[in-house]
PDB file of all heavy atoms in Angstrom:
ATOM      1  N   ASP A 211      83.066 105.609 111.473  1.00 94.00           N
ATOM      2  CA  ASP A 211      83.746 105.027 112.638  1.00 94.00           C
ATOM      3  C   ASP A 211      83.322 103.566 112.780  1.00 94.00           C
ATOM      4  O   ASP A 211      82.163 103.203 112.558  1.00 94.00           O
ATOM      5  CB  ASP A 211      83.364 105.786 113.910  1.00 94.00           C
ATOM      6  CG  ASP A 211      83.940 107.195 113.962  1.00 94.00           C
ATOM      7  OD1 ASP A 211      84.830 107.505 113.147  1.00 94.00           O
ATOM      8  OD2 ASP A 211      83.470 107.982 114.796  1.00 94.00           O
ATOM      9  N   GLY A 212      84.264 102.713 113.178  1.00 96.00           N
ATOM     10  CA  GLY A 212      83.954 101.308 113.388  1.00 96.00           C
ATOM     11  C   GLY A 212      83.992 100.455 112.142  1.00 96.00           C
ATOM     12  O   GLY A 212      83.741  99.252 112.207  1.00 96.00           O
ATOM     13  N   SER A 213      84.303 101.049 110.993  1.00 96.00           N
ATOM     14  CA  SER A 213      84.379 100.283 109.748  1.00 96.00           C
ATOM     15  C   SER A 213      85.612  99.392 109.753  1.00 96.00           C
ATOM     16  O   SER A 213      86.602  99.666 110.430  1.00 96.00           O
ATOM     17  CB  SER A 213      84.443 101.227 108.538  1.00 96.00           C
ATOM     18  OG  SER A 213      83.277 102.007 108.426  1.00 96.00           O
ATOM     19  N   CYS A 214      85.547  98.317 108.969  1.00 97.00           N
ATOM     20  CA  CYS A 214      86.685  97.414 108.789  1.00 97.00           C
ATOM     21  C   CYS A 214      87.166  97.565 107.353  1.00 97.00           C
ATOM     22  O   CYS A 214      86.368  97.512 106.414  1.00 97.00           O
ATOM     23  CB  CYS A 214      86.263  95.974 109.064  1.00 97.00           C
ATOM     24  SG  CYS A 214      87.620  94.788 108.982  1.00 97.00           S
ATOM     25  N   LEU A 215      88.482  97.760 107.160  1.00 96.00           N
ATOM     26  CA  LEU A 215      89.026  98.113 105.854  1.00 96.00           C
ATOM     27  C   LEU A 215      89.976  97.051 105.323  1.00 96.00           C
ATOM     28  O   LEU A 215      90.652  96.356 106.075  1.00 96.00           O
ATOM     29  CB  LEU A 215      89.792  99.435 105.942  1.00 96.00           C
ATOM     30  CG  LEU A 215      89.072 100.633 106.562  1.00 96.00           C
ATOM     31  CD1 LEU A 215      90.000 101.847 106.565  1.00 96.00           C
ATOM     32  CD2 LEU A 215      87.800 100.950 105.806  1.00 96.00           C
ATOM     33  N   ALA A 216      90.034  96.961 104.001  1.00 92.00           N
ATOM     34  CA  ALA A 216      91.068  96.198 103.306  1.00 92.00           C
ATOM     35  C   ALA A 216      91.978  97.185 102.604  1.00 92.00           C
ATOM     36  O   ALA A 216      91.503  98.129 101.964  1.00 92.00           O
ATOM     37  CB  ALA A 216      90.441  95.241 102.297  1.00 92.00           C
ATOM     38  N   PHE A 217      93.293  96.998 102.731  1.00 87.00           N
ATOM     39  CA  PHE A 217      94.272  97.909 102.134  1.00 87.00           C
ATOM     40  C   PHE A 217      95.045  97.177 101.048  1.00 87.00           C
ATOM     41  O   PHE A 217      95.287  95.975 101.125  1.00 87.00           O
ATOM     42  CB  PHE A 217      95.262  98.403 103.184  1.00 87.00           C
ATOM     43  CG  PHE A 217      95.059  99.835 103.578  1.00 87.00           C
ATOM     44  CD1 PHE A 217      93.873 100.229 104.171  1.00 87.00           C
ATOM     45  CD2 PHE A 217      96.040 100.785 103.368  1.00 87.00           C
ATOM     46  CE1 PHE A 217      93.670 101.538 104.559  1.00 87.00           C
ATOM     47  CE2 PHE A 217      95.854 102.106 103.751  1.00 87.00           C
ATOM     48  CZ  PHE A 217      94.667 102.488 104.345  1.00 87.00           C
ATOM     49  N   THR A 218      95.443  97.917 100.019  1.00 85.00           N
ATOM     50  CA  THR A 218      96.413  97.409  99.055  1.00 85.00           C
ATOM     51  C   THR A 218      97.379  98.554  98.744  1.00 85.00           C
ATOM     52  O   THR A 218      97.633  99.388  99.606  1.00 85.00           O
ATOM     53  CB  THR A 218      95.716  96.815  97.812  1.00 85.00           C
ATOM     54  OG1 THR A 218      96.697  96.315  96.921  1.00 85.00           O
ATOM     55  CG2 THR A 218      94.844  97.814  97.099  1.00 85.00           C
ATOM     56  N   PHE A 219      97.896  98.613  97.514  1.00 84.00           N
ATOM     57  CA  PHE A 219      98.945  99.572  97.195  1.00 84.00           C
ATOM     58  C   PHE A 219      98.452 100.642  96.234  1.00 84.00           C
ATOM     59  O   PHE A 219      97.448 100.474  95.561  1.00 84.00           O
ATOM     60  CB  PHE A 219     100.135  98.854  96.552  1.00 84.00           C
ATOM     61  CG  PHE A 219     100.776  97.861  97.460  1.00 84.00           C
ATOM     62  CD1 PHE A 219     100.343  96.551  97.491  1.00 84.00           C
ATOM     63  CD2 PHE A 219     101.795  98.240  98.309  1.00 84.00           C
ATOM     64  CE1 PHE A 219     100.917  95.629  98.337  1.00 84.00           C
ATOM     65  CE2 PHE A 219     102.380  97.330  99.163  1.00 84.00           C
ATOM     66  CZ  PHE A 219     101.942  96.020  99.170  1.00 84.00           C
ATOM     67  N   GLY A 220      99.208 101.711  96.147  1.00 88.00           N
ATOM     68  CA  GLY A 220      98.924 102.768  95.201  1.00 88.00           C
ATOM     69  C   GLY A 220      98.757 104.100  95.894  1.00 88.00           C
ATOM     70  O   GLY A 220      98.651 104.184  97.129  1.00 88.00           O
ATOM     71  N   PRO A 221      98.715 105.179  95.118  1.00 93.00           N
ATOM     72  CA  PRO A 221      98.666 106.524  95.702  1.00 93.00           C
ATOM     73  C   PRO A 221      97.420 106.801  96.523  1.00 93.00           C
ATOM     74  O   PRO A 221      97.475 107.581  97.467  1.00 93.00           O
ATOM     75  CB  PRO A 221      98.753 107.442  94.467  1.00 93.00           C
ATOM     76  CG  PRO A 221      98.426 106.582  93.290  1.00 93.00           C
ATOM     77  CD  PRO A 221      98.849 105.206  93.642  1.00 93.00           C
ATOM     78  N   ILE A 222      96.293 106.172  96.190  1.00 95.00           N
ATOM     79  CA  ILE A 222      95.085 106.389  97.003  1.00 95.00           C
ATOM     80  C   ILE A 222      95.325 105.914  98.433  1.00 95.00           C
ATOM     81  O   ILE A 222      95.027 106.620  99.405  1.00 95.00           O
ATOM     82  CB  ILE A 222      93.884 105.651  96.394  1.00 95.00           C
ATOM     83  CG1 ILE A 222      93.539 106.211  95.017  1.00 95.00           C
ATOM     84  CG2 ILE A 222      92.670 105.749  97.327  1.00 95.00           C
ATOM     85  CD1 ILE A 222      92.521 105.383  94.272  1.00 95.00           C
ATOM     86  N   PHE A 223      95.903 104.728  98.570  1.00 95.00           N
ATOM     87  CA  PHE A 223      96.133 104.169  99.904  1.00 95.00           C
ATOM     88  C   PHE A 223      97.265 104.882 100.627  1.00 95.00           C
ATOM     89  O   PHE A 223      97.270 104.950 101.858  1.00 95.00           O
ATOM     90  CB  PHE A 223      96.406 102.668  99.794  1.00 95.00           C
ATOM     91  CG  PHE A 223      95.206 101.901  99.325  1.00 95.00           C
ATOM     92  CD1 PHE A 223      95.055 101.563  97.996  1.00 95.00           C
ATOM     93  CD2 PHE A 223      94.212 101.548 100.215  1.00 95.00           C
ATOM     94  CE1 PHE A 223      93.936 100.872  97.553  1.00 95.00           C
ATOM     95  CE2 PHE A 223      93.081 100.861  99.787  1.00 95.00           C
ATOM     96  CZ  PHE A 223      92.950 100.520  98.452  1.00 95.00           C
ATOM     97  N   GLU A 224      98.213 105.417  99.873  1.00 96.00           N
ATOM     98  CA  GLU A 224      99.271 106.223 100.504  1.00 96.00           C
ATOM     99  C   GLU A 224      98.688 107.494 101.125  1.00 96.00           C
ATOM    100  O   GLU A 224      99.151 107.960 102.164  1.00 96.00           O
ATOM    101  CB  GLU A 224     100.334 106.601  99.467  1.00 96.00           C
ATOM    102  CG  GLU A 224     101.210 105.464  99.017  1.00 96.00           C
ATOM    103  CD  GLU A 224     102.204 105.009 100.075  1.00 96.00           C
ATOM    104  OE1 GLU A 224     102.457 105.763 101.026  1.00 96.00           O
ATOM    105  OE2 GLU A 224     102.717 103.883  99.949  1.00 96.00           O
ATOM    106  N   ALA A 225      97.666 108.055 100.468  1.00 96.00           N
ATOM    107  CA  ALA A 225      97.098 109.320 100.935  1.00 96.00           C
ATOM    108  C   ALA A 225      96.016 109.133 101.991  1.00 96.00           C
ATOM    109  O   ALA A 225      95.686 110.070 102.726  1.00 96.00           O
ATOM    110  CB  ALA A 225      96.519 110.087  99.740  1.00 96.00           C
ATOM    111  N   LEU A 226      95.440 107.942 102.105  1.00 97.00           N
ATOM    112  CA  LEU A 226      94.295 107.727 102.993  1.00 97.00           C
ATOM    113  C   LEU A 226      94.582 107.934 104.486  1.00 97.00           C
ATOM    114  O   LEU A 226      93.725 108.492 105.196  1.00 97.00           O
ATOM    115  CB  LEU A 226      93.729 106.324 102.788  1.00 97.00           C
ATOM    116  CG  LEU A 226      92.518 106.192 101.879  1.00 97.00           C
ATOM    117  CD1 LEU A 226      92.149 104.725 101.713  1.00 97.00           C
ATOM    118  CD2 LEU A 226      91.329 106.974 102.403  1.00 97.00           C
ATOM    119  N   PRO A 227      95.732 107.478 105.017  1.00 97.00           N
ATOM    120  CA  PRO A 227      95.903 107.543 106.477  1.00 97.00           C
ATOM    121  C   PRO A 227      95.655 108.908 107.094  1.00 97.00           C
ATOM    122  O   PRO A 227      94.998 108.999 108.143  1.00 97.00           O
ATOM    123  CB  PRO A 227      97.357 107.081 106.672  1.00 97.00           C
ATOM    124  CG  PRO A 227      97.591 106.142 105.537  1.00 97.00           C
ATOM    125  CD  PRO A 227      96.856 106.752 104.387  1.00 97.00           C
TER     126      PRO A 227
END
Side-chain angles (χ1 to χ4, degrees):
D211 290 347
S213 297
C214 184
L215 308 180
F217 253 62
T218 181
F219 297 89
I222 296 170
F223 293 97
E224 288 288 342
L226 262 176

